[in-house]
Amino acid sequence: MTLMQEKVNQAIEILKEQQTDLWLTFVRETSGVRDPMLDFLIGPNDLTWPSALILTRNGEKIAIVGNLEKDALSRTNVFDTLIGYDTAVSGPLRDTITRLDPNQIAVNTSRNNVHADGLTHAMYEILCDYLKDTPYADRLVSAEPIINAMRGRKTQEELERIRKAVEITDEIYKKTFDFIKVGMTEIQIGEYMHRLAQEYSVGLAWPAENCPAVNSGPNSPVGHNGPTDIKVEPGHIIHFDFGVKYKDYCSDIQRLVYVLRDGETEAPPEVQRGFITIRTAIEKSREAMKPGSIGNSIDVIAREILVDAGYPEYQHALGHQLGRVAHDGGALLGPLWEKYGDDPKLELEVGQVFTIEPGLAVPNYGYVALEEDVIMTENGAEYIGEPQRELIFIKG
Amino acid sequence: MTLMQEKVNQAIEILKEQQTDLWLTFVRETSGVRDPMLDFLIGPNDLTWPSALILTRNGEKIAIVGNLEKDALSRTNVFDTLIGYDTAVSGPLRDTITRLDPNQIAVNTSRNNVHADGLTHAMYEILCDYLKDTPYADRLVSAEPIINAMRGRKTQEELERIRKAVEITDEIYKKTFDFIKVGMTEIQIGEYMHRLAQEYSVGLAWPAENCPAVNSGPNSPVGHNGPTDIKVEPGHIIHFDFGVKYKDYCSDIQRLVYVLRDGETEAPPEVQRGFITIRTAIEKSREAMKPGSIGNSIDVIAREILVDAGYPEYQHALGHQLGRVAHDGGALLGPLWEKYGDDPKLELEVGQVFTIEPGLAVPNYGYVALEEDVIMTENGAEYIGEPQRELIFIKG
């Protein structure tokens, strides 16, 4: 069974569990706007004309697409029923929905999870128009709970791909740490990591411009930034944020290096203290992650550890889910801020993969943050790969 | 000036011309759902948190983004005012719109042009919520006319990139025609073209699965399909559909080859007749394309030529615009079918690049279609690159 077939079957099980009759992904010209769920439903293909991809609680798998795209779609062996059309999708769509007579039609709209929000406003209006003289226009509901479950609950195959992505990331980091010398620029280090990714034949987990982020010393702009021409100097913390994409699945890992100054054999106390605080925050939040925990309650733990130690709050979430994209959606280890919607209020589930990534600044030295990837099991969160437990030193 | 800066300045001129006060692109987590206009506004970067990109008729260029993404955005030198926030975009967004006090707020929603339809339904609802106690919630209009003009009117730099993409496509075709031998599969030919694209360091204009399309003989599935294991045989028409992406700009070209049978020195009469009909339809429709023509009127010309010659109507548009994507939006040389919305009713403008691509089947031989790329000038449509004027023969 292909991964797409496996995920579509999982979606049907989720429809049963959530008692939702029908899930409709309604798209057009996906080279322009691509619903994120298409990766699970049609793979890397595009659909040119208005198309309806329907899964039902009874196990039906129906695609209504332009006739010129039927053959390509049939080759994916995902849909049992392929309905082609030449000029107008509205007729076959209305007929199909009338035949299925669903009590709920879940569509890809969500205020919280962007990956459940692929339906554009105009496509929503067009859909309502097509259904306006039927009983079904009033039965539209958000597919957010279906998509949260489907993207969150990793299958064995998905998890293996993420494990491999993490393993490769770890190897690239090790080679990079051996490569770094005082006087190199952040950009040179970033380029070396790009070359290594190519050697491993993997993609990057987010756009190359800021994957990796490389921050050497206190003056490097932290956040979603690319490397600059700042040079590595003794006394710098070097902070990395990097991830690769292996067979469509991502890793997302932050690492820390300290560049020893003349005579130093370890990092200065304030750097050590920052490192230990971050390590502790990660370990304590990981230990608290159990199936059924609320994401926000985990963010609170890490946030308090930093604040209690006298550091300011990090201005982002403690961790996000990881999957086909580095920032996958649904339950979030995040604060209750507007920008995160309701995602931090959701429960953690077995099979979800999260990052844990608190951060703090150490004045005069640089940015101290680590990011570990964990998988939710019945017993709680387990590290994928080896976490960074000690500062790594580079000789100045 | 970078291409992004040039296009943003062009957008401001279009706002003046269309007397629209403000254009707002409102997005979040663009690794999940990416508004197609972001390529022009932020390049390949992603924005993680809810972000508002504002251009005004008075020439203001304002970005409201998460603080952690301000530095990366400032490096693009596109926006004059960067407003950062930590937890909630709603406050700075409301404040900025109130200060600007626009009579119209154009947002990226369009029933016709998918590239003007990047605003999701939930983001539209969120925006309305943010503006609900202001006079501005009722001032939302569609940015479709702005985006149609901006994507359609190619600058010199954009046109040069498309020209280069067409040139490279032509070279790849020539090498491929020299490479083809009887007995090769469509897949082998497709793989060879992929290797050539790599040698030329260009991307593909649409997903690799069906770029190129290679259809050898009468039994190959035509449409948006990838190559199959059907083998090239004497008496086959081989039809190609292929395009490359050079510096983010696309070509999209169809070509025809005929595989001579023992003793043949030219193609059989029905193949020749099909080829001439297609050539004529392309040439006549190109000649009719003038600034101000309605797209549909051009489709009608080619469609009638085919029907008058006894062939069935092609089940797609005669031609679409070409730009950063192979199927760029706005004015379309298309029939008035539901699936094309109002795009075929729009006027042609100077600076637009179109494909012209009628097609027909010749029973027992294969699919006959050509696709040429043309640029709209004051005097009408001019070919970009050399059109295919004669059938190309391969010895069987």
Side-chain angles (χ1 to χ4, degrees), chain A residues 28-36 44-46 48-50 66-73 75 85-91 109-115 117-126 129-130 206-207 209-210 221-228 315-317 325-327 337-340, chain B residues 28-36 44-46 48-50 66-73 75 85-91 109-115 117-126 129-130 206-207 209-210 221-228 315-317 325-327 337-340:
Chain A
R28 63 172 168 182
E29 198 58 90
T30 61
S31 68
V33 175
R34 192 172 162 88
D35 185 310
N45 294 292
D46 273 323
T48 304
W49 301 287
N67 269 323
L68 292 176
E69 292 176 328
K70 261 178 80 172
D71 284 316
L73 197 58
R75 290 200 220 171
Y85 76 89
D86 283 324
T87 66
V89 75
S90 55
T109 184
S110 164
R111 291 200 185 197
N112 303 301
N113 181 355
V114 70
H115 299 99
D117 195 35
L119 185 67
T120 70
H121 180 54
M123 286 296 276
Y124 176 85
E125 288 184 328
I126 289 170
D129 261 13
Y130 288 170
W206 57 91
E209 280 69 15
N210 54 356
V222 172
H224 294 152
N225 286 298
T228 70
Q315 295 300 311
H316 52 77
V325 286
H327 290 177
W337 294 345
E338 177 194 279
K339 71 176 178 182
Y340 294 124
Chain B
R28 62 173 168 181
E29 197 61 88
T30 62
S31 68
V33 175
R34 191 171 163 88
D35 186 309
N45 293 291
D46 273 323
T48 304
W49 301 286
N67 270 323
L68 293 176
E69 292 176 327
K70 260 178 81 172
D71 285 315
L73 197 57
R75 290 200 219 170
Y85 77 88
D86 283 324
T87 67
V89 75
S90 55
T109 184
S110 164
R111 293 201 184 195
N112 304 301
N113 181 352
V114 71
H115 300 99
D117 194 36
L119 185 67
T120 70
H121 180 55
M123 287 296 276
Y124 175 86
E125 288 184 329
I126 289 169
D129 261 12
Y130 289 169
W206 56 91
E209 280 69 16
N210 54 355
V222 171
H224 295 152
N225 285 300
T228 69
Q315 295 300 313
H316 51 77
V325 285
H327 291 176
W337 294 343
E338 177 193 279
K339 71 177 179 184
Y340 294 124

Side-chain angles (χ1 to χ4, degrees), chain A residues 5-233:
Chain A
Q5 291 168 332
E6 194 182 3
K7 291 302 283 184
V8 163
N9 289 343
Q10 183 190 39
I12 287 169
E13 292 309 306
I14 291 166
L15 289 174
K16 288 178 191 164
E17 175 190 317
Q18 299 186 354
Q19 307 187 10
T20 302
D21 286 347
L22 188 151
W23 174 30
L24 167 65
T25 296
F26 185 49
V27 298
R28 63 172 168 182
E29 198 58 90
T30 61
S31 68
V33 175
R34 192 172 162 88
D35 185 310
M37 293 314 290
L38 289 179
D39 293 337
F40 293 96
L41 298 170
I42 64 166
N45 294 292
D46 273 323
L47 291 167
T48 304
W49 301 287
S51 304
L53 307 172
I54 293 172
L55 300 177
T56 78
R57 188 180 177 177
N58 296 331
E60 288 201 54
K61 303 166 185 172
I62 305 166
I64 309 174
V65 299
N67 269 323
L68 292 176
E69 292 176 328
K70 261 178 80 172
D71 284 316
L73 197 58
S74 75
R75 290 200 220 171
T76 63
N77 289 313
V78 166
F79 294 94
D80 297 325
T81 308
L82 278 168
I83 301 171
Y85 76 89
D86 283 324
T87 66
V89 75
S90 55
L93 176 61
R94 246 187 328 255
D95 292 349
T96 302
I97 287 180
T98 304
R99 174 177 75 73
L100 295 168
D101 191 29
N103 286 312
Q104 309 84 19
I105 300 174
V107 295
N108 300 355
T109 184
S110 164
R111 291 200 185 197
N112 303 301
N113 181 355
V114 70
H115 299 99
D117 195 35
L119 185 67
T120 70
H121 180 54
M123 286 296 276
Y124 176 85
E125 288 184 328
I126 289 170
L127 179 63
C128 290
D129 261 13
Y130 288 170
L131 298 180
K132 73 168 177 288
D133 296 323
T134 74
Y136 305 106
D138 296 333
R139 298 187 189 175
L140 300 183
V141 299
S142 165
E144 181 187 317
I146 300 164
I147 294 171
N148 280 356
M150 188 176 163
R151 294 190 79 106
R153 299 175 193 170
K154 302 294 187 288
T155 65
Q156 208 54 42
E157 170 68 19
E158 287 179 295
L159 189 54
E160 274 165 29
R161 295 185 187 187
I162 293 173
R163 276 190 200 286
K164 184 75 182 170
V166 169
E167 192 183 307
I168 292 170
T169 307
D170 203 42
E171 289 180 27
I172 290 176
Y173 267 133
K174 287 200 175 110
K175 290 184 180 176
T176 302
F177 300 154
D178 288 342
F179 168 80
I180 299 172
K181 299 265 178 300
V182 166
M184 279 180 184
T185 65
E186 293 174 357
I187 289 173
Q188 286 173 311
I189 297 170
E191 285 170 351
Y192 181 70
M193 293 173 82
H194 283 179
R195 283 201 297 280
L196 289 174
Q198 277 195 319
E199 281 174 25
Y200 280 95
S201 301
V202 289
L204 301 173
W206 57 91
E209 280 69 15
N210 54 356
C211 182
V214 183
N215 302 108
S216 193
N219 299 320
S220 183
V222 172
H224 294 152
N225 286 298
T228 70
D229 52 12
I230 291 174
K231 288 181 179 163
V232 170
E233 290 178 28

Side-chain angles (χ1 to χ4, degrees), chain B residues 220-343:
Chain B
S220 182
V222 171
H224 295 152
N225 285 300
T228 69
D229 52 13
I230 290 174
K231 287 180 178 165
V232 170
E233 290 177 28
H236 275 188
I237 293 164
I238 315 180
H239 164 258
F240 296 86
D241 192 350
F242 180 61
V244 304
K245 192 173 273 195
Y246 172 78
K247 288 188 180 176
D248 298 323
Y249 283 76
C250 296
S251 60
D252 184 0
I253 293 176
Q254 292 176 47
R255 287 290 174 256
L256 285 170
V257 162
Y258 177 73
V259 188
L260 294 167
R261 288 179 291 206
D262 249 14
E264 280 181 339
T265 55
E266 55 180 45
E270 55 266 60
V271 174
Q272 290 189 41
R273 189 165 166 271
F275 184 86
I276 290 164
T277 306
I278 289 299
R279 247 325 282 162
T280 307
I282 290 174
E283 187 54 24
K284 292 294 173 197
S285 28
R286 184 191 67 79
E287 285 173 4
M289 291 172 72
K290 304 289 174 198
S293 310
I294 302 300
N296 174 244
S297 72
I298 310 300
D299 178 82
V300 164
I301 292 169
R303 205 168 285 274
E304 280 187 3
I305 289 172
L306 266 70
V307 171
D308 288 352
Y311 298 103
E313 288 188 46
Y314 43 91
Q315 295 300 313
H316 51 77
L318 175 65
H320 50 80
Q321 288 191 56
L322 196 58
R324 295 186 78 96
V325 285
H327 291 176
D328 220 306
L332 182 81
L333 313 180
L336 301 174
W337 294 343
E338 177 193 279
K339 71 177 179 184
Y340 294 124
D342 288 335
D343 279 352

Side-chain angles (χ1 to χ4, degrees), chain B residues 72-379:
Chain B
L73 197 57
S74 75
R75 290 200 219 170
T76 63
N77 289 312
V78 166
F79 295 93
D80 297 325
T81 308
L82 278 168
I83 302 172
Y85 77 88
D86 283 324
T87 67
V89 75
S90 55
L93 177 60
R94 245 186 328 254
D95 292 349
T96 302
I97 287 179
T98 303
R99 174 177 73 75
L100 296 168
D101 191 28
N103 287 312
Q104 309 84 19
I105 300 173
V107 295
N108 300 355
T109 184
S110 164
R111 293 201 184 195
N112 304 301
N113 181 352
V114 71
H115 300 99
D117 194 36
L119 185 67
T120 70
H121 180 55
M123 287 296 276
Y124 175 86
E125 288 184 329
I126 289 169
L127 179 62
C128 290
D129 261 12
Y130 289 169
L131 299 179
K132 74 170 179 288
D133 296 323
T134 75
Y136 305 107
D138 296 332
R139 298 187 189 176
L140 301 183
V141 299
S142 166
E144 181 186 318
I146 301 163
I147 293 171
N148 281 356
M150 187 177 165
R151 295 190 78 108
R153 298 174 194 171
K154 303 293 188 287
T155 66
Q156 208 53 44
E157 170 68 20
E158 287 180 294
L159 189 53
E160 274 165 29
R161 294 186 187 187
I162 293 174
R163 276 189 201 285
K164 184 76 183 171
V166 168
E167 194 182 306
I168 292 170
T169 307
D170 203 42
E171 290 180 27
I172 290 176
Y173 267 132
K174 286 199 177 109
K175 289 185 181 175
T176 302
F177 299 155
D178 289 341
F179 169 79
I180 299 172
K181 297 265 180 299
V182 167
M184 279 180 184
T185 65
E186 293 174 358
I187 290 173
Q188 286 176 312
I189 298 170
E191 285 170 351
Y192 181 71
M193 293 172 81
H194 284 179
R195 283 202 297 279
L196 289 174
Q198 277 195 319
E199 282 173 24
Y200 279 95
S201 301
V202 289
L204 301 174
W206 56 91
E209 280 69 16
N210 54 355
C211 182
V214 182
N215 301 110
S216 194
N219 299 320
S220 182
V222 171
H224 295 152
N225 285 300
T228 69
D229 52 13
I230 290 174
K231 287 180 178 165
V232 170
E233 290 177 28
H236 275 188
I237 293 164
I238 315 180
H239 164 258
F240 296 86
D241 192 350
F242 180 61
V244 304
K245 192 173 273 195
Y246 172 78
K247 288 188 180 176
D248 298 323
Y249 283 76
C250 296
S251 60
D252 184 0
I253 293 176
Q254 292 176 47
R255 287 290 174 256
L256 285 170
V257 162
Y258 177 73
V259 188
L260 294 167
R261 288 179 291 206
D262 249 14
E264 280 181 339
T265 55
E266 55 180 45
E270 55 266 60
V271 174
Q272 290 189 41
R273 189 165 166 271
F275 184 86
I276 290 164
T277 306
I278 289 299
R279 247 325 282 162
T280 307
I282 290 174
E283 187 54 24
K284 292 294 173 197
S285 28
R286 184 191 67 79
E287 285 173 4
M289 291 172 72
K290 304 289 174 198
S293 310
I294 302 300
N296 174 244
S297 72
I298 310 300
D299 178 82
V300 164
I301 292 169
R303 205 168 285 274
E304 280 187 3
I305 289 172
L306 266 70
V307 171
D308 288 352
Y311 298 103
E313 288 188 46
Y314 43 91
Q315 295 300 313
H316 51 77
L318 175 65
H320 50 80
Q321 288 191 56
L322 196 58
R324 295 186 78 96
V325 285
H327 291 176
D328 220 306
L332 182 81
L333 313 180
L336 301 174
W337 294 343
E338 177 193 279
K339 71 177 179 184
Y340 294 124
D342 288 335
D343 279 352
K345 299 176 188 166
L346 296 174
E347 288 185 7
L348 310 191
E349 277 195 343
V350 171
Q352 292 170 337
V353 175
F354 281 97
T355 67
I356 311 180
E357 47 174 314
L360 56 86
V362 176
N364 304 318
Y365 289 97
Y367 186 65
V368 171
L370 295 169
E371 179 173 17
E372 308 296 350
D373 300 338
V374 302
I375 166 80
M376 287 298 298
T377 72
E378 295 290 351
N379 304 318

